[in-house]
Amino acid sequence: GAVVSQHPSRVICKSGTSVKIECRSLDFQATTMFWYRQFPKKSLMLMATSNEGSKATYEQGVEKDKFLINHASLTLSTLTVTSAHPEDSSFYICSARPIAGGRTDTQYFGPGTRLTVL
Amino acid sequence: AQTVTQSQPEMSVQEAETVTLSCTYDTSESNYYLFWYKQPPSRQMILVIRQEAYKQQNATENRFSVNFQKAAKSFSLKISDSQLGDTAMYFCAFMMLGNKLVFGAGTILRVKS
């Protein structure tokens, strides 16, 4: 139980294009999902908290117009990297916190998406 | 603001031996949760163990156990009978109820045969 998927697992795009990453909770509902960025051998850096039916909350220093988050349902949140540049290349991870039926105080993580911007 | 400190960047252990990973945190709150997550080379974050601060009993999950010292704000992870599959980066994390996770810098653990 408590499985989170991410799609795609790996994406390569050209500079200036936009990329959308999906995060789905497969066997539970989540009003809150989280988006992280991780550099090699480093800790996870929280980018934003995604709230179903409302605007995301971004961490300080994260450009909300560059990293668009949509949480349209209780099982799906998307992160769109707009006008991507090479410095946006990174590993992006989402997590979700169950509403009920599981440990509502625990975040479950997706497998991550490796983004490479050429 | 809460902070989490993992003072061991890297550790190694022989297969079948026991290893302890350290974690300290700083908070003025009394109700919170603590977690250990494992990130193997696949980079999938896996929940290893969780602890509610109001519970005095240390959490255990098979070969994994914690030593939770609330007054000292310490939350170490003990891995018994280490296996090659335990090789991973381990993150200690703190969370207040309904809030976001605060991660430590991580400890890379290598299990040697």
Side-chain angles (χ1 to χ4, degrees), chain A residues 11-108:
Chain A
V11 58
I12 301 172
C13 69
K14 292 182 178 180
S15 186
T17 61
S18 295
V19 174
K20 180 185 286 188
I21 303 170
E22 292 187 348
C23 177
R24 292 181 186 273
S25 54
L26 299 184
D27 51 1
F28 64 93
Q29 293 182 325
T31 54
T32 306
M33 293 185 174
F34 303 84
W35 287 95
Y36 297 85
R37 184 172 180 176
Q38 186 183 31
F39 293 103
K41 296 189 177 181
K42 297 294 184 183
S43 190
L44 279 67
M45 181 183 74
L46 180 65
M47 299 174 64
T49 301
S50 170
N51 301 296
E52 188 269 336
S54 65
K55 292 183 178 180
T57 303
Y58 290 83
E59 295 299 300
Q60 193 171 8
V62 178
E63 299 176 59
K64 60 182 180 182
D65 294 331
K66 180 166 188 62
F67 298 99
L68 300 179
I69 291 172
N70 184 279
H71 193 154
S73 78
L74 291 174
T75 58
L76 173 64
S77 176
T78 60
L79 169 68
T80 301
V81 183
T82 62
S83 187
H85 291 285
E87 57 265 30
D88 298 324
S89 297
S90 192
F91 193 67
Y92 292 87
I93 307 175
C94 74
S95 71
R97 196 165 61 206
I99 295 174
R103 289 177 166 171
T104 58
D105 49 28
T106 299
Q107 288 185 29
Y108 296 93

